[in-house]
Amino acid sequence: MREVAIIGVGLTKFGELWDQNIRDMFAEAALKAMENAKVEKIDALYVGSMSSGLYAYQEHLASLMADYIGQIGVPAARIESACSSGGQAVRIGYMDVATGMHDIVLVGGVEKMWDVEDGTFVLATAADQEYEVYNGVTFPGLYAMIAKAYMEKYGLTREELAQVPIKNHKHAVNNPNAQYPFEIDLKTVLNSTMVADPLRLMDCSPITDGAACIILCPLERAKEFTDKYVKIRGVGAATGPIALHDHKDLTRLEVVHLAAQRAYQMAGVGAEDIDFVEVHDCFSIAEIVVAEELGFFEYGKGGKAIAEGQATYGGKVVINPSGGLKAKGHPVGATGVAQIIEAYYQLTYQAGKRQVENARLGMTQNMGGSGGSCVVHILEGM
Amino acid sequence: MANSQRYTREIPRRYRLEAQKFPSGFVSLPRRYVDPISGSKEYENIKLKGTGTILTYTIIHVTSDQFKFITPYAVAIIETDEGARITAMITDTSFEDIKIGARVELVFRKIMEEGPSGIVNYGYKAKVIV
């Protein structure tokens, strides 16, 4: 296996991109990444997208994107694993380079979410259609049931839960690509629309258009292209039951633990070595449970630790310096790649005002459904 | 809109609560081929009695188009007395009576209508035993 580096990145603005269709967004991010890496030809392309068919009525993405970035002829495939499609695409791209099959690989993620009316229905396709969705469950509803079980078991308060989006919005203020780069306060969270009790609108990541792309190459060739590159040091992925009711412990997301242990083992590091982490805070409760599963806090103590400032600058580990899914935005299939891009910026000291001091090891955690899949990457600055 | 077969094939589970009991004790309402706990392909067909306990729940206020007509409504994860885990809407119960640990019985109800020319869907919902 060869070591693999990230040598260039490209992002669109995250938000409501009314003038761009799905190929426009992907082409913008991909061409930026190729320019950033000073690469004109790629050897392979992977694109992560959760549901381009239902969101943009477009399947067969990989060939479309290859054509529209001037790389027709290149081998390409679309990768789908619900909300972890982007992270899975990065993992496949990593394997492609590590095995020696290809040298210059473009990995991207894209989702065009604002073109449809009933986005709640599309998101729910990540759950068990016949035995969850048929019976009326929505995606926020699943995480609401995790929150309910967690609050009952550990005594987490509604006010403490609100500290997750408050912290993430504060981080997003310094992120020019973020969808909502402004602060919110406790009153805003507690007065926002009830979506699925106890989760309110401000507990939920938004509907977002966006694309994110990176260029991978063998570590030994990275210097040919740039002096700003990072190494992918650990990769871990896992599956869990797609239906929430099949999770033994409804206050946990064991799939995250499994993926993280694999990534830690491969990288030869532990949670205590990680300087910052981009986690999949699709809902406020998710960030708390995930932080525990990754090993940053004990089970049942993550909510209080985050509320006490342990997950921001100066705390134990900076969680979601980008603003996270909540404030940066969550274009589902692009999110896993965008997390990697934030880690790239942090580890090459290009994160501006949101720079984590002395960042050397960063982690990304991208999750599908209510714990049906998870991909964790550990990245190292060079 | 789906063909009617999509619904008729699930009738044994949704209307009659026909389930499978695997050697590890795992009970599945959805049809399975392998015990997720032990890997065994052996199982016994059982019929759920339709009683169980709420493990967690939520009141849904914002939903997809097909369920908008009943908002707000409650959904729960229930463990039946045989050990099967299912997700079901709560019906015929006031929200104050829905609690983690509450006892429920499953009842046969209309779930939704698939638009003016679509199929009327039926299945189980849960009613809290007060």
Side-chain angles (χ1 to χ4, degrees), chain A residues 130-131 134 136 145 197 245, chain B residues 10 56 58 73 85 87 122:
Chain A
E130 303 296 358
Y131 288 90
Y134 184 88
M145 289 199 283
D197 179 53
H245 54 237
Chain B
E10 300 299 334
T56 187
T58 178
Y73 60 90
R85 293 276 198 92
T87 297
Y122 296 90

Side-chain angles (χ1 to χ4, degrees), chain A residues 330-342:
Chain A
H330 182 26
V332 182
T335 282
V337 184
Q339 291 177 322
I340 296 273
I341 292 179
E342 177 64 14

Side-chain angles (χ1 to χ4, degrees), chain A residues 117-118 120-121 128-138 140-142 144-149 152 193-198 244-250, chain B residues 6-7 10 13-14 26 29-30 32 55-67 73 75-77 85-89 100 111-112 121-124:
Chain A
E117 291 276 320
D118 194 4
T120 303
F121 169 78
D128 183 331
Q129 273 298 316
E130 303 296 358
Y131 288 90
E132 290 186 305
V133 182
Y134 184 88
N135 292 317
V137 157
T138 59
L142 292 168
M145 289 199 283
I146 296 174
K148 204 73 151 177
E152 170 106 352
T193 307
M194 184 65 90
V195 175
D197 179 53
L244 180 65
H245 54 237
D246 284 327
H247 289 234
K248 235 182 317 173
D249 185 341
L250 296 166
Chain B
R6 184 183 160 198
Y7 301 101
E10 300 299 334
R13 271 79 62 195
R14 288 187 184 143
F26 183 85
L29 186 63
R32 282 182 186 265
L55 300 182
T56 187
Y57 69 95
T58 178
I59 316 284
I60 292 179
H61 294 257
V62 178
T63 190
S64 57
D65 290 346
Q66 54 197 151
F67 290 111
Y73 60 90
V75 171
I77 291 179
R85 293 276 198 92
I86 62 169
T87 297
M89 269 193 216
I100 292 176
I111 304 288
M112 61 171 159
N121 300 323
Y122 296 90
Y124 47 83

Side-chain angles (χ1 to χ4, degrees), chain A residues 92-332:
Chain A
I92 303 296
Y94 169 87
M95 294 193 300
D96 201 9
V97 176
T99 55
M101 189 109 163
H102 294 108
D103 268 12
I104 310 299
V105 172
L106 190 149
V107 177
V110 63
E111 213 76 60
K112 180 71 195 169
M113 298 175 74
W114 276 98
D115 277 3
V116 296
E117 291 276 320
D118 194 4
T120 303
F121 169 78
V122 181
L123 281 177
T125 62
D128 183 331
Q129 273 298 316
E130 303 296 358
Y131 288 90
E132 290 186 305
V133 182
Y134 184 88
N135 292 317
V137 157
T138 59
F139 221 70
L142 292 168
Y143 278 91
M145 289 199 283
I146 296 174
K148 204 73 151 177
Y150 188 102
M151 291 164 96
E152 170 106 352
K153 183 170 177 186
Y154 295 118
L156 178 79
T157 66
R158 187 44 270 206
E159 287 72 18
E160 287 167 337
L161 188 57
Q163 296 306 316
V164 174
I166 291 171
K167 183 258 306 170
N168 286 338
H169 270 267
K170 202 168 180 181
H171 289 178
V173 168
N174 295 317
N175 185 349
N177 280 313
Q179 185 169 9
Y180 300 125
F182 51 78
E183 292 198 45
I184 56 169
D185 59 18
L186 186 62
K187 232 171 86 185
T188 312
V189 180
L190 299 184
N191 290 337
S192 61
T193 307
M194 184 65 90
V195 175
D197 179 53
L199 300 182
R200 293 177 175 272
L201 187 63
M202 287 297 128
D203 291 293
C204 307
S205 55
I207 305 289
T208 311
D209 294 336
C213 291
I214 60 173
I215 309 287
L216 303 178
C217 84
L219 183 64
E220 61 191 25
R221 287 194 58 191
K223 278 203 168 73
E224 289 174 32
F225 303 96
T226 176
D227 56 357
K228 287 192 172 63
Y229 58 93
V230 303
K231 175 178 143 183
I232 300 180
R233 186 157 157 184
V235 183
T239 46
I242 182 171
L244 180 65
H245 54 237
D246 284 327
H247 289 234
K248 235 182 317 173
D249 185 341
L250 296 166
T251 66
R252 286 194 54 189
L253 291 161
E254 288 182 70
V255 68
V256 179
H257 182 78
L258 196 54
Q261 290 312 309
R262 289 172 181 160
Y264 283 136
Q265 195 183 1
M266 180 173 165
V269 300
E272 64 283 1
D273 301 311
I274 304 292
D275 299 308
F276 66 90
V277 54
E278 285 283 305
V279 305
H280 198 94
D281 60 312
C282 46
F283 300 95
S284 53
I285 185 67
E287 176 163 322
I288 294 172
V289 177
V290 165
E292 294 172 359
E293 297 290 1
L294 295 175
F296 296 114
F297 308 113
E298 280 175 51
Y299 291 110
K301 297 193 174 161
K304 287 192 169 52
I306 292 169
E308 283 164 6
Q310 288 302 312
T312 189
Y313 299 84
K316 188 172 180 184
V317 58
V318 185
I319 300 184
N320 284 332
S322 70
L325 281 53
K326 171 66 190 81
K328 179 185 59 181
H330 182 26
V332 182

